[in-house]
Each structure stands twice: as C-alpha cells, then as structure tokens.
Amino acid sequence: MPARLTLRKRIALEIFRHVRKNRTKLHDLRVLFWECTLRCNAACRHCGSDCRASATQPDMPAKDFFRVIDDLTPSVNPNKVMITFTGGEALLRPDIEQCGSELCRRGYPWGIVSNGLLFGERLDSLLASGLHSATISIDGFDKAHNWLRGRSDSFRKAVHAIERLAASNIVIWDVVTCVNRNNFDDLPRFRQFLTDTGVKNWRIFTIFPAGRAARVPELQLDNRRFVQLMDFIRDSRRQGLHVSYGCEGFLGNYETDVRDGFYYCSAGINTASVLADGSITGCTSIRANFHQGNIYTDRFVDVWEQRFQPFRSRSWTKKGQCADCSMFRYCQGNGIHLYDDNAELQVCHYKRL
C-alpha cells in the first residue's frame, strides 16, 4: 500500500481542494490546443492518435480555426490564453508561420509542440512570426530515442532543435521525455547531457497503454521502476534542476516534490482542444467519447460554457477502483485521458506507488 500522507501534505491538499473547486467554478480558459494536422514525419511506437505520414483526416483549414478564435475573442483576454499548435507534427503544415502571425495580430501568445525533425530549420521564421513557447520531444540518447520515434535521424535533429533554442534565448521552451524500459537506466547520464546542452526545463512522462503503446510492452515501467522514477525526479529537483513529472495523475506524498504544484486535471477547466476533425474536447489525449461538440456544428464558446460537465463534475469517476479510495477527494479519479472508451480508468498512479 502507498505510504500514508504526512499531516503537512494532507493539510496542503485540503487547501488545494478549495483552490481546485474555485478554478472549476470559474473555468477560465487558459490553454487552447489546436490539433492542426494528423500527418506526421515520425512513426512513434507510443502514439496515442495513431498518426501517419499520410493521414486520412485532412488538415483543418486555417480559416475554420480562426473562426473559433474570432468567436472566442470577445469572451476572453487574448493575452491570457495560450494557443498551442500540435498534431501529428504541426510543422508539416507550411502555413504555421502565417497562423502564428495572425494569432499575434489578434493578441494571442502561441506555441508549438514538435518532434524536432523540422524545427531547427524553421526556427528563424517561427520567431519572426511571434513564437512564444516551444516543446521538443527527446526520449533518451540516440539508440533509445530513434527506436521510440521510428527514424534514424530523429535524435540528431531533436538535439539540433534544442541547441538552436538554447542559443536563441528568446522563447520559453522545454524538453519532454517519455520514460520507458529502454531509456530508464540512462536517466542520470541523460540528465547531465540535457544540462550540458542548455536545457533549463525538463518534463518527464510515463506512457499509458493506449493507441500503439498498448501493443509494445517495453514502453511500460513496472511499479518498482515507477517509484524509482519519482525518486529520481525528486532528487533532481533537490539538486536544483527544474525537472517535473507531467500532468499524469495523483502521486500521494510525492505531490509538490516532483511537480511545481499539486496535481489536478485541467482538461475542461482551464484547457480545451480543437481536434483535426473539428471535435471540441479537453485535451488532445482524451478518448473520443469525451468530445463535447464540434466547431462545424456548434459555437466553441457555447460548448465551453455549457457542455464540459463530465470534466468539471467528477462524481461519475467514483466507481471501480476509485469507489472506496480515501484519496479520491484529492485525486478526483485521475486524469480523464486515462479513461478508455467505456469510461473505465486504465491506470491509478497512487496505487502504483
């Protein structure tokens, strides 16, 4: 069984419960993801959306997304809503710079999530278009990274991307690493490599069994390694490196030791996504049965205000392994992206610990 929460941690969690309730009540939109393409130039073993080089779903026309933005603008302060391009690989679209410039003209900061394959050669034009933030995926040294990404040049180009970002010193950026059995033992050396390359912010994720990842056992850490990963992150932070575990789930006594704040799933509370087919949901990792509308049939603002109850009222998750869990008041059933198409929880991080 996981260790009991310390009294200090429990008091802090009780305070944060009220913070989360207030955030949910206000549900101020702060991050809007645009899944602008399902095309991808990698073949990642862990891909949750099963993207391909030639996707059957065509790219969403930029004018359709900007209708959403222009409808949203009277309801928000654009300066406080981050628009993030994702995919697939967003940079397979030739118009990303034009889209970024249009967002800047409307007052929105924007960023991009990229596998790094095209990022280095596009950085100058992205910066000229007002790029505010960037996330580059790099999953260990060359052998482990290239295995995960399905391309022999992937590591080299991802490193080139982060070297260019480190040299530019203009945008906010970080590196994301998906930890699995093939890169786990290299984490201490890889931490030093990232530091030497100029990385200041490092986010670590584990891989949940969905999409392609469900068919690759090497992607999953056993519980012993999962605990060791939490210890590695905690110890790295104590050494002064800004490394954090992603927004995966509730971590008991590791809360605030491995992240900057307490866990909560912001999907549908402060975060929304417009997917490539126009679907409106909380985040791009969430399964289809949590879609709340579609930009081609609904106003985004109406959906955001009126249809996100499954994200904001989590009583429906108090079932199965969550039914009698004493941590439910803090966890609220974990992240919605961890539920399958039958609304059953696939992974409980607290029990893994």
Side-chain angles (χ1 to χ4, degrees):
M1 290 294 292
R4 286 181 175 273
L5 291 176
T6 64
L7 177 60
R8 181 177 181 179
K9 194 81 70 173
R10 189 179 291 274
I11 291 171
L13 281 164
E14 286 293 337
I15 293 171
F16 185 73
R17 280 184 68 229
H18 295 285
V19 173
R20 186 181 65 233
K21 286 181 178 179
N22 190 53
R23 289 180 183 175
T24 303
K25 181 179 179 181
L26 295 174
H27 55 266
D28 291 329
L29 184 64
R30 289 289 178 255
V31 178
L32 177 59
F33 288 99
W34 180 26
E35 187 184 62
C36 59
T37 182
L38 287 182
R39 292 180 295 133
C40 193
N41 49 4
C44 302
R45 297 176 188 270
H46 64 309
C47 182
S49 53
D50 207 23
C51 301
R52 293 178 173 84
S54 179
T56 56
Q57 173 65 47
D59 294 355
M60 179 183 290
K63 62 181 177 60
D64 295 351
F65 181 68
F66 277 96
R67 278 201 296 268
V68 174
I69 294 298
D70 291 338
D71 183 47
L72 174 66
T73 298
S75 303
V76 299
N77 179 346
N79 298 153
K80 295 184 178 181
V81 181
M82 169 63 71
I83 311 297
T84 301
F85 300 145
T86 185
E89 171 54 43
L91 287 177
L92 285 176
R93 290 184 65 123
D95 63 348
I96 289 297
E97 288 87 348
Q98 290 87 345
C99 292
S101 295
E102 285 298 313
L103 286 171
C104 285
R105 188 172 65 83
R106 290 164 168 82
Y108 289 90
W110 66 277
I112 194 166
V113 178
S114 175
N115 59 28
L117 286 166
L118 299 172
F119 189 88
E121 64 193 62
R122 296 269 289 272
L123 179 57
D124 290 339
S125 59
L126 292 169
L127 291 174
S129 303
L131 179 70
H132 183 273
S133 69
T135 293
I136 305 296
S137 297
I138 182 165
D139 302 298
F141 293 111
D142 51 358
K143 183 178 179 180
H145 178 82
N146 293 342
W147 171 82
L148 187 63
R149 298 289 164 174
R151 281 188 55 150
S152 60
D153 59 348
S154 185
F155 176 77
R156 175 175 58 83
K157 291 191 173 183
V159 171
H160 176 59
I162 65 175
E163 286 175 339
R164 289 219 59 200
L165 281 166
S168 72
N169 199 29
I170 297 173
V171 301
I172 300 167
W173 64 281
D174 65 357
V175 162
V176 166
T177 298
C178 291
V179 174
N180 57 80
R181 296 181 198 175
N182 282 345
N183 61 17
F184 182 83
D185 292 337
D186 287 334
L187 284 175
R189 286 195 308 120
F190 189 59
R191 174 180 60 195
Q192 187 61 52
F193 168 78
L194 292 179
T195 301
D196 292 344
T197 311
V199 175
K200 299 290 196 301
N201 300 293
W202 184 24
R203 277 186 294 154
I204 288 177
F205 286 82
T206 45
I207 300 169
F208 57 97
R212 297 176 192 167
R215 304 188 293 271
V216 186
E218 297 96 320
L219 295 177
Q220 313 301 323
L221 297 182
D222 59 30
N223 290 348
R224 177 179 62 85
R225 287 189 179 93
F226 185 69
V227 173
Q228 290 175 343
L229 178 62
M230 295 302 109
D231 291 337
F232 170 80
I233 296 172
R234 181 190 59 198
D235 294 344
S236 298
R237 290 171 65 89
R238 288 175 177 173
Q239 293 171 25
L241 180 63
H242 190 236
V243 54
S244 60
Y245 187 60
C247 54
E248 286 285 292
F250 178 72
L251 300 171
N253 273 323
Y254 285 101
E255 288 293 323
T256 67
D257 290 347
V258 297
R259 296 190 182 102
D260 292 344
F262 287 107
Y263 165 76
Y264 87 108
C265 181
S266 69
I269 299 174
N270 304 117
T271 302
S273 300
V274 174
L275 304 187
D277 65 356
S279 296
I280 302 169
T281 187
C283 82
T284 55
S285 298
I286 292 172
R287 309 275 66 82
N289 60 336
F290 289 100
H291 295 174
Q292 303 301 303
N294 192 291
I295 66 167
Y296 294 111
T297 56
D298 307 291
R299 290 183 66 228
F300 176 88
V301 172
D302 291 342
V303 173
W304 176 254
E305 289 297 332
Q306 301 169 15
R307 296 196 200 173
F308 271 78
Q309 289 315 304
F311 297 86
R312 296 169 188 163
S313 177
R314 300 291 294 275
S315 58
W316 61 270
T317 64
K318 195 170 175 59
K319 61 182 181 179
Q321 59 185 306
C322 297
D324 300 316
C325 181
S326 61
M327 294 296 107
F328 184 84
R329 65 193 289 108
Y330 310 126
C331 174
Q332 294 289 293
N334 236 7
I336 292 185
H337 70 289
L338 298 171
Y339 285 79
D340 62 20
D341 285 332
N342 297 314
E344 297 295 334
L345 182 63
Q346 300 173 87
V347 178
C348 173
H349 292 71
Y350 180 69
K351 290 183 178 178
R352 293 195 70 189
L353 296 170

